[in-house]
């Protein structure tokens, strides 16, 4: 039985072919060579009914049926629906039935027809789908699939149509179902499978995304409190895909890709799940309920349609955790912004916490590394100021405490910030200054130099508890001790009270920190007029509880010095009880001090003792308070204007100079600027008096005046105005005082040289002070080089501009730098000796030049930069040289 | 109990990561007698504030072990040579003399081949002892003595007999030997 399936002419014509049947039909053998019967063999059965058993007849019958069936099934050229009905006849039915009944014939027919189909498919269908040979642009996926589905559908109709009246033909239908299956395989094998899958995934992803976008209504979701956005896919399109064979395992895989991609991005990056800035709550719960209630059911429905299997059960848990992970990763990638905007970003932080808690330790590691990258690129560079970094550090502490109460994560992420801060030279100063800054009731920070203050620290200090207990490791009676968490790093320290203050102080070696603090503290105390020192005392106590208490001795001595000075001032100047600078209380102050529920006269007097006379106090009290049952209550009436004016004005009542001194124990205080000049006579008298009294009281202690730290309040009266200046440095006051002396003649003025000799003051200082007073329009340059008092403003000539520049020239040199300059030669000898005898060295590092200098020279506390300056000087003298990179220095 | 431990190790009683901040300053501080350190610091200070030309000394990472560099005195065979020495101060310094060794190979009647120096002031002094060390001496004077020893060797008690002989008989040959033996070295850091 030869079956030939040669190619047919492509432009075959139905009419023509009905007359001249196409050649490629197998012509059943009997028609060509009729069966003339076989000779009955001698041993054969003689006659009977079972003649059909004849093998030749069987073959002929089979051949005939085959011929009829194949002729019926042969596909004509093109993709138009074949009119198989027209050629349909009972013969065909019969033939098909006959063939399909026999398993071997059925298989042959199947093979033959598949071959027929594949040939046809390759010739007519595949060219229609040629676009699959090129990559499909993303925006074309929709069209591509519409076209593909249409073409395949058409082809399938052609291949599988069996004529209308075959309903009862069970076996034919089965046959066609089988053909359909094989056809789908053929389709998938003929097209680039990978590309189809990818394109299908992209197509499905886009449909899911656009359906979500179309149905999304954030306002509604916000109102409802949970997200109602749904993803309704076009189920018909999915059914179509399934019908043309694209819904099988390939379709499922593509669908899985699409859903995954959707969860990674669009599902979670939506307004419905944005950070809750208003209520500071986590939105993960919303996300979970959306996945469960909206997303999963619709995906379930879609996948059932695509595969037409209703039994697929999607794993809710995995969807949930995938959604939470992708959501968490998005949050983590913006963690730095959230840290910056803390505490408003609490919602986002809670999201992240839930994310890392829900998933494993891998997420924590990812969180840490991601955040470290963020701070490296966005914070830890030269462009960020130390105060900024410090306040971010404070936020990092709060945020990570919230993320992980045990502090393990914090320890991990804080390391780079800490080491960076340690390398910044001004960090310690900023912290020390921040610790000492003032906070008012509104939480506003006030300080001398606001730029150097990290207000977060100030506020934190103001709110933190003094009695922080620390270090649980050594407390062996602690029955609540637990081991360190399993993922803790080597530097992890479990502590119950590791509050923010502790973290800030922990940034530094306590010695360095205390040294810097002492400098800031000293400056603060010298400048402060506060006699109570409540805040300062509290700060010292606070630090004592956290740092080594013995190391704070210096600060305590300073505080004690201040208190002693106040007492001493009282004893030496008994007439001036007033602390320097604090105005005498007026009746208004007394009124303000009266509490609503009354106060006894004794306890009220306690507050004003030392600030005013007892008689004045009683007078003021009677003016503003009502007396009832031994208690004083504030009067309802407001104070009359007259009463205020009557209140004694300290300046007019006690003319002359108020003199107050602060005794500091030289050993414990940081270096004060020492200036020498002749102070005004009035002051000198006071100083002599004070010195006398001090010697009488304190015996052996030696008093040494530090004029560089002195300040004064001064009132200058002119013909047309009064200038009042508070807290002016002593040398400035001294200079202006020289213009008020009897030997000064305002008609000629005074030159710098004259001033210098009469005041025995440095020329720099004279210039600085002159510039200052000229800037204040107190003095002016009468003639070149001569300065005089500007009695009336209308005499003023604009000259300030050129002097403004060097107004503060003198102030730039701080005592440390001065010390460095003075000792430069000695230091350079040291460095030379070191380099000669120890070989080439770097500046920094433990064994570096700075480190060695500190070791061999106890008083040496200059920085690497100062050492660099010394080295540069030496290099210019040709004594040392550095290597090409400038890192290694050696003697010549 | 806890309190006592706190007192023993006060730095532990602080904040979470103080240990990180500690760069290891403590390791550098030698655990030696404080008086020796103080004395050496003041000697170093004198040495630095009034340096002697041709002599330079500086501590290593250990305050009691110094390196010194000395220029050969002019007019001697050691002219223009730079000689390195190590000085090691005992914990009883200045009651006992420091131990001084030449690190640079040197050819000298009173120095042996491992750099040991035979000099009276480097031996313990006092009653019944042959040495001439005194607490009044200091690093600078020791180095100065050694420098002058270079120009005026004590040939009565040589450590290097050949050198002593050559010094007396053939100065040119002595100089040759000195130059041949000399090599510039750097201290190990």
């Amino acid at each position: 039985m030869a079956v030939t399936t040669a190619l047919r002419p492509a432009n075959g014509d139905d009419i023509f072919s009905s007359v001249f049947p196409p050649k490629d039909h197998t012509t059943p053998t009997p028609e060509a060579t009729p069966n003339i019967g076989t000779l009955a063999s001698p041993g054969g059965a003689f006659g009977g009914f079972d003649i059909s058993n004849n093998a030749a007849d069987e073959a002929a019958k089979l051949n005939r049926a085959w011929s009829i069936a194949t002729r019926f099934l042969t596909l004509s050229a093109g993709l138009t629906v074949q009119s198989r009905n027209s050629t349909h006849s009972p013969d065909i039915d019969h033939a098909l039935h006959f063939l399909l009944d026999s398993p071997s014939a059925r298989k042959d027919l199947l093979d033959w027809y598949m071959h027929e189909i594949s040939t046809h498919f390759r010739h007519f269908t595949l060219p229609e789908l040629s676009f699959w040979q090129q990559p499909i642009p993303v925006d074309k996926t929709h069209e591509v699939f519409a076209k593909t589905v249409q073409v395949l559908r058409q082809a399938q109709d052609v291949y599988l149509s069996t004529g209308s009246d075959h309903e009862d033909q069970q076996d034919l239908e089965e046959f066609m179902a089988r053909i359909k299956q094989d056809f789908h395989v053929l389709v998938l094998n003929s097209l680039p499978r990978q590309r189809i899958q990818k394109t299908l995934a992209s197509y499905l992803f886009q449909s899911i995304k656009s359906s979500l976008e179309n149905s999304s209504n954030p306002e509604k979701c916000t109102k409802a409190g949970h997200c109602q956005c749904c993803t309704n896919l076009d189920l018909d399109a999915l059914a179509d895909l399934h019908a043309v064979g694209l819904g099988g395992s390939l379709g499922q895989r593509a669908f899985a890709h699409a859903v995954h991609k959707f969860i990674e991005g669009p599902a979670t990056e939506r307004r419905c799940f944005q950070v809750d800035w208003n209520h500071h709550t986590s939105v993960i719960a919303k996300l979970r309920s959306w996945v469960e209630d909206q997303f999963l059911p619709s995906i379930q429905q879609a996948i059932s349609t695509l595969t037409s299997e209703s039994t697929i059960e999607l794993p809710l848990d995995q969807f949930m955790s995938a959604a939470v992970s992708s959501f968490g990763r998005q949050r983590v990638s913006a963690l730095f912004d959230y840290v910056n905007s803390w505490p408003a970003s609490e919602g986002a932080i809670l999201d992240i916490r839930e994310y890392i808690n829900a998933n494993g330790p891998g997420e924590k590691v990812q969180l840490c590394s991601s955040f470290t990258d963020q701070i490296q690129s966005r914070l830890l560079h030269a462009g960020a100021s130390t105060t900024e970094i410090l306040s971010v550090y404070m936020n990092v502490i709060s945020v990570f405490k919230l993320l992980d109460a045990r502090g393990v994560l914090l320890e991990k992420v804080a390391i780079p910030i800490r080491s960076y801060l340690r390398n910044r030279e001004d960090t310690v100063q900023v912290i020390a200054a921040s610790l000492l800054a003032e906070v008012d009731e509104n939480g506003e920070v006030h300080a001398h130099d606001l730029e150097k203050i990290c207000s977060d620290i100030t506020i934190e200090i103001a709110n933190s508890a003094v009695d922080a207990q620390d270090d649980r490791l050594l407390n062996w009676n602690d029955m609540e001790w637990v081991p360190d968490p399993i993922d803790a790093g080597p530097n992890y320290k479990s502590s119950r009270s590791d509050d923010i203050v502790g973290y800030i102080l922990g940034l530094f070696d306590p010695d360095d920190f205390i040294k810097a603090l002492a400098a800031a503290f000293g400056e603060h105390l010298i400048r402060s007029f506060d006699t109570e020192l409540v805040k300062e005392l509290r700060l010292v106590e606070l630090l004592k509880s956290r740092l080594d208490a013995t190391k704070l001795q210096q600060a305590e001595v300073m505080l004690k010095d201040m208190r002693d000075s106040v007492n001493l001032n009282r004893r030496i100047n008994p007439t001036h009880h007033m602390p320097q600078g604090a105005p005498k209380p007026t009746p208004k102050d007394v009124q303000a001090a009266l509490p609503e529920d009354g106060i006894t006269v004794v306890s009220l007097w306690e507050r004003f003792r030392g600030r005013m006379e007892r008689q004045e106090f009683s007078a003021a009290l009677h003016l503003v308070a009502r007396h009832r049952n031994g208690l004083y209550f504030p009067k309802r009436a407001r104070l009359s204007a007259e009463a205020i004016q009557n209140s004694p004005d300290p300046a007019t009542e006690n003319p002359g100079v108020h003199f107050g001194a602060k005794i500091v124990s030289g050993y414990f205080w940081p270096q004060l600027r020492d200036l020498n000049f002749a102070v005004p006579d009035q002051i000198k008298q006071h100083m002599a008096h004070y010195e006398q009294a001090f010697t009488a009281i304190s015996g052996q202690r030696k008093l040494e005046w530090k004029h560089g730290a002195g300040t004064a309040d001064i009132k200058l009266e002119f013909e047309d105005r009064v200038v009042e200046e508070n807290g002016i440095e002593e040398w400035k006051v001294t200079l202006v005082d020289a213009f008020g002396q009897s030997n000064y003649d305002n008609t000629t003025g005074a030159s710098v040289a004259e001033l210098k000799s009469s005041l025995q003051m440095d020329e720099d200082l004279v210039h600085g002070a002159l510039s200052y007073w000229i800037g204040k329009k107190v003095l002016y340059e009468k003639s070149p080089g001569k300065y005089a008092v500007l009695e009336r403003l209308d005499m003023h000539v604009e000259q300030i501009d050129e002097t403004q520049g060097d107004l503060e020239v003198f102030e730039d040199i701080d005592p440390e730098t001065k010390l460095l300059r003075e000792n430069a030669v000695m230091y350079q000898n040291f460095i030379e000796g070191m380099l000669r005898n120890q070989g080439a060295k770097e500046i920094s590092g433990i064994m570096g030049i700075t480190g060695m200098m500190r070791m061999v020279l106890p008083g040496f506390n200059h920085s690497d930069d100062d050492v660099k300056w010394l080295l540069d000087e030496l290099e210019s003298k040709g004594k040392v040289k550095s290597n090409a990179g400038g890192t290694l220095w050696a003697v010549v | 109990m806890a309190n006592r431990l706190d007192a023993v190790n006060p730095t532990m009683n602080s904040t979470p990561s103080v240990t990180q901040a500690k760069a290891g300053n403590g390791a550098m501080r030698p655990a030696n007698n404080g008086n020796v350190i103080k004395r050496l610091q003041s000697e170093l200070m004198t040495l630095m504030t009034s340096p002697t030309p041709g002599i330079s000394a500086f501590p290593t990472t250990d305050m009691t072990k110094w390196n010194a560099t000395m220029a050969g005195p002019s007019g001697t065979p050691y002219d223009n040579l730079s000689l390195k020495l190590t000085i090691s101060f005992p914990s009883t310094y200045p009651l006992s003399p420091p131990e001084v060794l030449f690190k640079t190979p040197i050819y000298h009647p009173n120095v042996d081949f491992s750099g040991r120096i035979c000099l009276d002031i480097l031996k313990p002094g006092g009653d019944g002892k042959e040495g001439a060390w005194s607490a009044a001496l200091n690093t600078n004077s020791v180095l100065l003595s050694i420098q002058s020893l270079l120009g005026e060797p004590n040939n009565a008690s040589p450590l290097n007999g050949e050198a002593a002989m050559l010094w007396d008989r053939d100065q040119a040959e002595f100089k040759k030997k000195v130059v041949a033996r000399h090599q510039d070295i750097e201290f190990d850091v």
Side-chain angles (χ1 to χ4, degrees):
Chain A
M1 180 176 68
V3 178
T4 54
T5 51
L7 298 181
R8 288 156 298 151
N11 51 357
D13 180 34
D14 278 353
I15 301 166
F16 182 79
S17 66
S18 66
V19 179
F20 303 102
K23 281 178 192 154
D24 57 328
H25 288 282
T26 47
T27 313
T29 323
E31 283 177 27
T33 44
N35 186 11
I36 51 167
T38 45
L39 292 171
S41 62
F46 182 77
F49 298 100
D50 200 10
I51 313 169
S52 60
N53 256 352
N54 187 325
D57 281 354
E58 276 298 302
K61 195 172 173 192
L62 191 67
N63 273 351
R64 195 170 300 114
W66 180 265
S67 177
I68 293 169
T70 49
R71 189 176 295 143
F72 167 69
L73 285 175
T74 300
L75 298 164
S76 62
L79 278 176
T80 47
V81 177
Q82 310 239 341
S83 48
R84 279 182 177 157
N85 283 343
S86 62
T87 54
H88 195 250
S89 71
D91 279 355
I92 294 169
D93 262 358
H94 193 77
L96 283 171
H97 188 71
F98 177 74
L99 285 173
L100 294 175
D101 255 1
S102 134
S104 66
R106 179 194 170 98
K107 189 172 177 303
D108 286 343
L109 189 63
L110 197 67
D111 288 347
W112 177 84
Y113 192 48
M114 264 328 287
H115 194 253
E116 180 79 7
I117 284 179
S118 70
T119 315
H120 188 268
F121 180 75
R122 222 167 290 133
H123 274 89
F124 302 102
T125 316
L126 219 44
E128 302 268 335
L129 298 173
S130 59
F131 47 79
W132 279 111
Q133 301 308 322
Q134 278 93 41
I136 310 292
V138 174
D139 52 340
K140 291 266 167 51
T141 50
H142 196 81
E143 297 165 32
V144 161
F145 275 102
K147 174 81 176 155
T148 309
V149 166
Q150 184 232 322
V151 168
L152 290 177
R153 205 145 233 235
Q154 204 178 349
Q156 194 167 297
D157 285 347
V158 170
Y159 301 151
L160 301 184
S161 79
T162 53
S164 58
D165 47 358
H166 287 278
E167 305 95 8
D168 53 338
Q169 298 274 339
Q170 184 70 30
D171 43 4
L172 187 60
E173 264 169 37
E174 270 171 24
F175 175 73
M176 280 308 179
R178 185 73 201 281
I179 290 293
K180 184 176 176 184
Q181 226 171 17
D182 288 353
F183 171 67
H184 288 167
V185 174
L186 174 70
V187 167
L188 289 180
N189 286 333
S190 321
L191 295 174
R193 200 185 169 90
Q194 212 57 25
R195 183 172 295 149
I196 291 200
Q197 186 177 319
K198 277 191 186 146
T199 317
L200 184 59
S202 152
Y203 163 68
L204 290 169
F205 170 70
Q206 285 175 34
S207 349
I208 302 176
K209 193 174 148 192
S210 64
S211 88
L212 179 69
E213 273 162 14
N214 293 338
S215 75
S216 169
N217 187 352
E219 279 83 12
K220 197 173 144 212
C221 298
T222 315
K223 238 176 254 170
H226 57 91
C227 183
Q228 297 171 332
C229 310
C230 47
T231 51
N232 291 326
L233 282 160
D234 182 358
L235 294 179
D236 292 342
L238 292 176
D240 282 348
L241 283 173
H242 173 71
V244 299
L246 293 176
S249 63
L250 174 130
Q252 283 187 37
R253 216 170 292 138
F255 193 74
H257 277 296
V259 169
H260 178 72
K261 198 170 161 200
F262 178 69
I263 289 179
E264 290 285 291
T268 45
E269 287 168 4
R270 290 191 295 134
R271 262 191 69 191
C272 298
F273 303 133
Q274 69 188 1
V275 177
D276 188 350
W277 298 99
N278 295 328
H279 305 102
H280 304 316
T281 52
S282 171
V283 298
I284 282 201
K286 268 194 203 175
L287 179 70
R288 286 181 193 274
S289 74
W290 175 76
V291 169
E292 188 167 358
D293 300 341
Q294 308 285 342
F295 183 62
L296 197 66
S298 73
I299 292 301
Q300 178 95 51
Q301 197 182 359
I303 193 77
S304 311
T305 315
L306 185 65
T307 58
S308 77
E309 287 174 46
S310 53
T311 51
I312 293 181
E313 191 63 44
L314 294 173
L316 176 63
D317 289 352
Q318 285 181 21
F319 272 81
M320 206 74 105
S321 87
V324 170
S325 295
S326 109
F327 179 74
R329 271 195 295 278
Q330 286 162 28
R331 286 279 192 270
V332 166
S333 65
L335 183 54
F336 182 76
D337 294 318
Y338 299 136
V339 167
N340 252 343
S341 49
W342 176 263
S345 58
E346 194 181 343
I349 303 301
L350 288 172
D351 287 342
I352 295 175
R353 183 171 72 173
E354 203 163 333
Y355 155 67
I356 56 173
N357 287 345
N359 294 343
E363 268 68 17
K364 292 186 181 171
V365 174
Q366 192 255 342
L367 172 94
C368 291
S369 68
S370 160
F371 186 66
T372 308
D373 288 348
Q374 290 173 40
I375 51 175
Q376 287 293 2
S377 61
R378 297 182 59 181
L379 183 68
L380 304 182
H381 53 70
S385 73
T386 306
T387 48
E388 256 174 298
I389 300 177
L390 276 173
S391 60
V392 171
Y393 178 58
M394 304 277 293
N395 286 350
V396 166
I397 293 167
S398 324
V399 164
F400 278 81
K401 291 250 105 178
L402 182 62
L403 281 180
D404 171 29
R406 302 163 311 161
V408 179
L409 293 183
L410 176 57
E411 280 298 308
K412 283 181 182 159
V413 299
I415 288 170
I417 312 184
R418 284 195 197 129
S419 44
Y420 186 81
L421 278 174
R422 279 183 201 126
N423 290 334
R424 284 225 169 185
E425 281 171 20
D426 56 341
T427 311
V428 178
Q429 282 103 306
V430 169
I431 295 177
S434 306
L435 293 180
L436 288 164
E438 304 267 356
V439 187
D440 66 14
E441 310 82 49
N442 305 326
E444 298 281 323
V445 175
H446 299 281
H448 176 60
D449 188 356
L450 262 184
E451 279 175 18
K452 288 193 181 161
I453 301 290
C454 177
S455 49
D456 293 340
I457 298 181
T458 310
I459 292 167
E460 194 60 43
I461 284 286
N463 298 332
S464 71
V466 170
D467 54 344
Q469 276 292 321
D470 210 341
D471 200 0
R472 310 181 62 188
L473 275 185
L474 294 177
N475 183 3
W476 293 358
N477 290 326
D478 184 1
M479 290 301 143
E480 288 165 17
W481 182 87
V482 284
D484 288 349
I486 195 161
D487 48 350
N491 292 316
Y492 176 79
K493 207 143 188 271
S494 104
S495 172
R496 194 168 15 189
S497 63
D498 39 7
D499 54 355
I500 290 182
V501 181
Y503 276 99
I504 287 294
L505 300 182
L507 268 176
F508 293 97
D509 182 10
D511 291 334
D512 289 350
F513 179 74
I514 288 172
K515 208 165 98 187
L517 181 76
F521 199 56
E523 202 183 319
H524 173 81
L525 286 178
I526 289 286
R527 197 182 293 125
S528 151
F529 297 119
D530 183 12
T531 52
E532 304 290 320
L533 300 171
V534 178
K535 189 167 70 69
E536 288 78 3
L537 194 66
R538 181 173 176 279
L539 178 70
V540 171
E541 290 300 320
L542 188 76
L543 295 180
K544 262 161 81 177
S545 71
R546 286 173 171 80
L547 299 171
D548 185 5
T550 54
K551 287 187 176 142
L552 283 162
Q553 187 201 14
Q554 193 183 1
E556 291 202 299
V557 171
M558 288 183 184
L559 275 181
K560 183 172 175 297
D561 279 346
M562 286 298 107
R563 281 194 294 267
D564 288 353
S565 303
V566 172
N567 289 337
L568 203 64
N569 276 348
R570 253 185 231 150
R571 279 170 75 173
I572 293 174
N573 301 331
T575 46
H576 310 310
H577 282 318
M578 269 195 308
Q580 194 182 15
K584 185 173 272 195
T586 61
K588 248 190 167 169
D589 292 331
V590 177
Q591 188 185 33
L594 284 169
E596 280 294 318
D597 45 359
I599 188 168
T600 63
V601 68
V602 181
S603 47
L604 190 63
W605 166 239
E606 274 303 313
R607 300 191 188 185
F608 291 92
R609 183 197 289 279
R611 291 170 62 187
M612 62 199 296
E613 300 294 332
R614 181 74 198 234
Q615 288 94 330
E616 288 177 57
F617 170 73
S618 339
L621 184 63
H622 283 293
L623 198 64
V624 297
R626 274 180 305 132
H627 184 237
R628 199 168 62 213
N629 299 338
L631 291 175
Y632 282 87
F633 296 89
K635 273 186 186 169
R636 293 278 166 252
R638 302 188 69 180
L639 213 53
S640 70
E642 219 175 9
I644 298 169
Q645 275 169 2
N646 283 344
S647 66
D649 178 2
T652 52
E653 201 178 46
N654 307 318
V657 180
H658 295 290
F659 182 79
K662 287 181 176 173
I663 313 283
V664 304
S665 311
Y667 181 74
F668 292 97
W669 283 69
Q671 218 134 50
L672 294 172
R673 188 197 289 165
D674 196 8
L675 303 172
N676 279 318
F677 49 83
V679 291
D681 287 338
Q682 287 168 296
I683 311 266
K684 215 178 269 171
Q685 284 164 18
H686 277 287
M687 274 165 62
H689 174 64
Y690 197 95
E691 226 163 299
Q692 218 174 350
F694 180 78
T695 325
I697 291 165
S698 65
Q700 304 232 325
R701 284 171 72 179
K702 205 172 70 187
L703 199 61
E704 196 179 299
W705 296 94
K706 293 276 185 188
H707 296 300
T711 61
D713 298 346
I714 188 170
K715 190 168 167 186
L716 303 166
E717 291 177 359
F718 297 90
E719 282 178 23
D720 59 344
R721 70 197 187 279
V722 173
V723 172
E724 268 194 80
E725 292 282 331
N726 293 328
I728 306 293
E729 288 87 341
E730 197 175 339
W731 46 277
K732 290 179 182 163
V733 175
T734 305
L735 183 115
V736 82
D737 182 71
F739 288 88
Q741 298 300 323
S742 51
N743 56 4
Y744 165 76
D745 181 6
N746 204 32
T747 52
T748 57
S751 71
V752 172
E754 285 163 21
L755 289 168
K756 190 182 153 193
S757 65
S758 69
L759 298 174
Q760 295 155 24
M761 196 186 267
D762 258 7
E763 198 171 326
D764 285 349
L765 281 183
V766 174
H767 277 300
L770 281 174
S771 312
Y772 178 81
W773 290 118
I774 290 172
K776 291 282 173 199
K777 297 185 182 174
V778 168
L779 302 178
Y780 73 111
E781 194 167 5
K782 193 180 176 78
S783 56
K786 290 272 188 185
Y787 299 89
V789 177
L790 189 68
E791 275 295 347
R792 292 196 315 274
L793 273 182
D794 49 15
M795 288 161 62
H796 179 60
V797 201
E798 275 302 331
Q799 278 182 333
I800 304 161
D801 296 345
E802 47 191 301
T803 51
Q804 284 275 318
D806 50 349
L807 193 63
E808 299 291 324
V809 168
F810 179 77
E811 311 225 332
D812 284 344
I813 300 174
D814 63 289
E816 290 267 310
T817 315
K818 215 174 146 208
L819 206 67
L820 179 75
R821 302 254 157 98
E822 279 169 6
N823 294 326
V825 176
M826 194 233 322
Y827 290 159
Q828 284 166 351
N829 281 336
F830 266 86
I831 293 177
E832 220 187 313
M834 183 195 307
L835 295 179
R836 185 175 303 285
N837 290 300
Q838 292 193 3
K841 276 191 172 299
E842 290 181 26
I843 294 178
S844 54
I846 305 171
M847 306 293 291
I849 298 174
T850 319
M852 284 302 291
M853 287 296 276
R854 286 195 183 145
M855 196 187 92
V856 299
L857 204 60
F860 188 88
N861 47 18
H862 298 286
S863 65
D864 287 350
D865 285 343
D866 294 338
V867 171
K868 177 81 171 45
W869 178 78
L870 291 168
L871 283 166
D872 286 341
E873 291 259 297
L874 274 174
E875 193 178 22
S876 66
K877 288 183 204 159
K879 288 186 173 171
V880 299
K881 60 183 188 317
S882 63
N883 69 351
T887 50
L888 219 52
W889 294 80
V891 281
V892 175
Chain B
M1 192 62 190
N3 281 340
R4 202 160 60 82
L5 279 173
D6 283 354
V8 171
N9 189 357
T11 50
M12 279 187 72
N13 184 20
S14 44
T15 40
S17 62
V18 171
T19 42
Q20 288 179 352
K22 202 82 176 163
N25 241 349
M28 283 174 60
R29 218 160 277 141
N32 270 313
N33 189 341
N35 287 333
V36 180
I37 305 294
K38 221 172 255 174
R39 156 97 185 208
L40 291 176
Q41 262 164 352
S42 82
E43 277 194 24
L44 180 65
M45 192 57 129
T46 345
L47 217 56
M48 290 301 154
T49 42
S50 52
T52 317
I55 287 181
S56 147
F58 205 78
T60 60
T61 47
D62 183 348
M63 195 68 197
T64 61
K65 303 245 188 302
W66 291 28
N67 291 334
T69 310
M70 174 185 293
S74 57
T76 70
Y78 304 96
D79 194 6
N80 278 333
L81 298 183
S82 165
L83 304 161
K84 304 268 187 193
L85 302 95
T86 58
I87 311 172
S88 169
F89 297 93
S91 57
T92 47
Y93 184 82
L95 298 175
S96 324
E99 189 189 331
V100 186
L101 289 176
F102 270 105
K103 278 290 146 186
T104 311
I106 183 172
Y107 188 75
H108 188 274
N110 301 109
V111 183
D112 70 6
F113 286 105
S114 45
R116 282 186 290 249
I117 305 165
C118 175
L119 184 63
D120 53 355
I121 60 159
L122 291 180
K123 291 167 189 157
D127 293 338
K129 287 178 189 154
E130 53 179 20
W133 171 255
S134 132
L137 294 169
N138 59 33
T139 313
N140 198 23
S141 52
V142 165
L143 288 173
L144 271 174
S145 305
I146 294 175
Q147 200 182 27
S148 65
L149 185 71
L150 292 178
E152 301 156 12
N154 177 9
N155 283 341
S157 60
L159 281 174
N160 182 343
E162 186 203 50
M165 228 145 58
L166 271 184
W167 176 273
D168 288 337
R169 293 184 193 164
D170 188 351
Q171 279 282 333
E173 181 62 21
F174 185 86
K175 165 100 189 194
K176 244 185 240 168
K177 291 259 187 186
V178 165
V179 175
R181 174 137 175 82
H182 180 83
Q183 64 194 82
D184 277 319
I185 60 150
E186 282 294 322
F187 284 112
D188 305 333
V189 182

